[in-house]
Structure formats: structure tokens, C-alpha cells
Amino acid sequence: MGFDQYKINVKHPIFQQETFHLIQRTNLWGCMDAITLSNTGLSRNYSKIDYDRFTAGFLQNAKKFAFELTGHFEGGKPGSLQIKDAGIISYGKHQATLASGALYEVIRTYSELSSSKISVLLRPYLKKLQNKQISLRQDRQFINLLIKAAQDPLMKKAQDAVFHKKYWRPVVEIAREVGINSEIGLAVLYDTNIQGGLKQILDRTLKDTKNLLISERDFLNIFLNERRKYLLNVAAAKRRSRDAITAQALERDAKLRIGKLKTIVDEFKFP
């Protein structure tokens, strides 16, 4: 779990520029299971939802914004790597972890895209990656291969493909279902999906807001409050299991990461 501090200049035409100081952390649990939301009624509580905004152009810009924002929290570079926490090995722009299975998908995709020497040397590790073998954490040859592979543009392409399919695409469908209609709304959902706990947090938020007439800004703030509670609850469980490194990272995220996201939500110019 990295604790390096980053100075972030968030530049986006839809909200004012601001400089943030954030703490890098990693994906701890990986992606959500398939989420099916039906008859939530949330979109009926908003003012008219403009589904025409979900054009290819809008989604392309929203994805770019979401990926850049999460990248600032998660390392943001194809070669970002850490081996200290519950993710076992966390790798890439948005920290695909061995524990979640995302690292296996990244390396499998990379091996399909690339015929480089590094790709060939990584292929024998696919079975161990699929089985989430903890011993890979101490395998210096494997770790060095990951570092070298990050220099190949096809590794960035592989990571983007996996993050899109595994984390971004489900978020777009969820946003449509519950009535999220903004770039920042999609970014908050995506960032949560990358970090983990999206289904539980969303379920609690929908319960909290049932039958309420609220704005999207209010909904996202309630969602982030629930996310903070979730992170602190998981952190407490990690401390009970004597995993202090993961617990400390979660506690920092509950304060700093959620705090910065709430600031962006509050300043965002909603449609």
C-alpha cells in the first residue's frame, strides 16, 4: 500500500480547477459481482433525467475524466506496483490486484495482444495468477517482468481494456438504472467500483434515499457518506485481523479520498 503524496491539478471544462493533495492507495477487493438494480424508483425522484446525454461522445469524455481521477488515487501509471497489503500484488494505472482476479485478466489480455519476449515469459504465470497464489508476491522474476512489461504500450492497452470491461461498463449501466446523469456521478461510481464495495454502498444509499425528492448532488453526497462508513467498517475488521497496513490505508482513504471527492461533487456544475 503506497502512501506517497500526490499534488493533483484536476482540469476539466465542467468544473473549476482546484489543486488537491491526495493519498495513493490500492484496490483491495477488486470488482463487484454482477449487480442488477430494478424498480429502484430513484430516477423518478430526480427532476427529468436527460438520457440523451449518454451519447458516445459524452461517455468518452466521462470515462476519460473518471479514469484520470481514479488514476490520481491509484497510482495512475501502467507500472504502478505495490505488494504490501491485502491485494497481495497491486499493479497498473488503477491497481489491478491478484486477490481480486483483475491482475490475471490484465496479464492474460496482455499475452493475447503482445508477442514480445516479456509477454512470452509472463504466460507461464497465468495459471498461478488465476489461482491467486500468494507466493507470487515473493517471486522476484515475476515482479521484474511486471515492471518491464509496463514499458510496452500494449500493457497500457491491456489495462485499459480490462478496466473498461470489468469496472467501467457495469457502472454505466448502474448510472442509467438509478438516474445518475453527470460525469462526476459516473466518476464516483467508477472510483468506488475500483476500490471495492460498490454493491453494498449503493444498496445502503438507495435505502437511505427511498421516497425522497433529492438532487443528484445530494444523492452523491449521501453515497459518499455511506462509502466512508463502509471503509471504516472494513478498516476495523482489518485491525481485528491484525492487518494494520490495510487498515491504515482504508482509514486514510475514508478521510482524504472521500473528502476530496465530496469537494469535487459540491463544486461540480450539474446539468
Side-chain angles (χ1 to χ4, degrees):
M1 182 78 55
F3 295 132
D4 298 330
Q5 193 172 64
Y6 288 82
K7 180 178 288 186
I8 298 171
N9 291 315
V10 180
K11 298 179 180 178
H12 199 273
I14 49 181
F15 67 91
Q16 298 175 349
Q17 178 179 335
E18 183 171 351
T19 298
F20 300 120
H21 293 277
L22 302 174
I23 297 296
Q24 177 189 352
R25 71 167 303 276
T26 185
N27 177 322
L28 297 179
W29 308 283
C31 75
M32 60 182 180
D33 294 328
I35 294 177
T36 301
L37 298 171
S38 58
N39 300 321
T40 62
L42 183 60
S43 62
R44 293 192 294 274
N45 290 336
Y46 285 144
S47 58
K48 183 178 181 297
I49 299 300
D50 182 8
Y51 285 108
D52 290 339
R53 282 177 58 81
F54 280 73
T55 61
F58 168 79
L59 289 175
Q60 182 179 0
N61 289 333
K63 177 183 171 181
K64 182 176 185 294
F65 174 45
F67 275 40
E68 289 178 353
L69 185 58
T70 293
H72 287 304
F73 291 109
E74 297 286 350
K77 297 180 180 179
S80 297
L81 176 71
Q82 68 84 15
I83 55 174
K84 297 180 180 178
D85 66 29
I88 308 174
I89 299 172
S90 302
Y91 178 67
K93 296 166 61 178
H94 299 169
Q95 297 288 271
T97 68
L98 177 63
S100 71
L103 182 57
Y104 162 72
E105 294 194 27
V106 166
I107 302 305
R108 179 179 58 80
T109 302
Y110 175 62
S111 70
E112 293 171 353
L113 293 173
S114 176
S115 58
S116 69
K117 179 180 178 180
I118 300 299
S119 173
V120 171
L121 291 173
L122 278 169
R123 287 171 191 166
Y125 286 98
L126 285 172
K127 190 65 176 180
K128 290 183 178 180
L129 287 165
Q130 188 175 27
N131 293 334
K132 305 175 184 179
Q133 290 190 13
I134 298 176
S135 62
L136 286 173
R137 177 187 268 161
Q138 281 80 40
D139 190 326
R140 293 312 308 173
Q141 180 178 351
F142 175 68
I143 297 300
N144 288 333
L145 287 172
L146 291 180
I147 294 170
K148 292 178 182 178
Q151 300 172 23
D152 185 345
L154 290 176
M155 174 54 79
K156 178 182 180 297
K157 185 175 181 180
Q159 291 180 17
D160 286 345
V162 171
F163 295 141
H164 175 88
K165 179 180 179 180
K166 196 174 182 72
Y167 300 103
W168 174 253
R169 189 184 295 170
V171 157
V172 172
E173 295 307 312
I174 290 168
R176 290 179 185 274
E177 188 74 30
V178 304
I180 296 298
N181 195 38
S182 67
E183 294 92 335
I184 186 59
L186 284 161
V188 166
L189 293 179
Y190 177 76
D191 188 67
T192 307
N193 200 20
I194 286 289
Q195 190 177 31
L198 177 58
K199 184 180 187 304
Q200 298 93 318
I201 296 163
L202 188 58
D203 285 346
R204 292 170 187 171
T205 305
L206 291 172
K207 182 178 180 180
D208 292 344
T209 58
K210 186 177 181 180
N211 300 322
L212 294 180
L213 184 63
I214 58 174
S215 66
E216 183 174 341
R217 189 191 313 277
D218 290 339
F219 178 83
L220 291 174
N221 272 307
I222 294 169
F223 177 91
L224 288 169
N225 288 339
E226 288 293 346
R227 183 175 170 187
R228 175 177 284 149
K229 293 177 187 176
Y230 175 85
L231 291 174
L232 291 173
N233 286 337
V234 177
K238 294 296 181 182
R239 286 202 178 277
R240 289 193 295 270
S241 65
R242 299 184 178 181
D243 184 355
I245 293 176
T246 300
Q248 184 181 23
L250 290 167
E251 290 160 356
R252 292 191 183 195
D253 270 358
K255 179 180 179 180
L256 296 172
R257 185 170 184 158
I258 301 304
K260 298 309 178 183
L261 286 171
K262 286 175 72 69
T263 296
I264 297 173
V265 168
D266 288 340
E267 296 185 355
F268 189 86
K269 297 177 181 179
F270 283 86

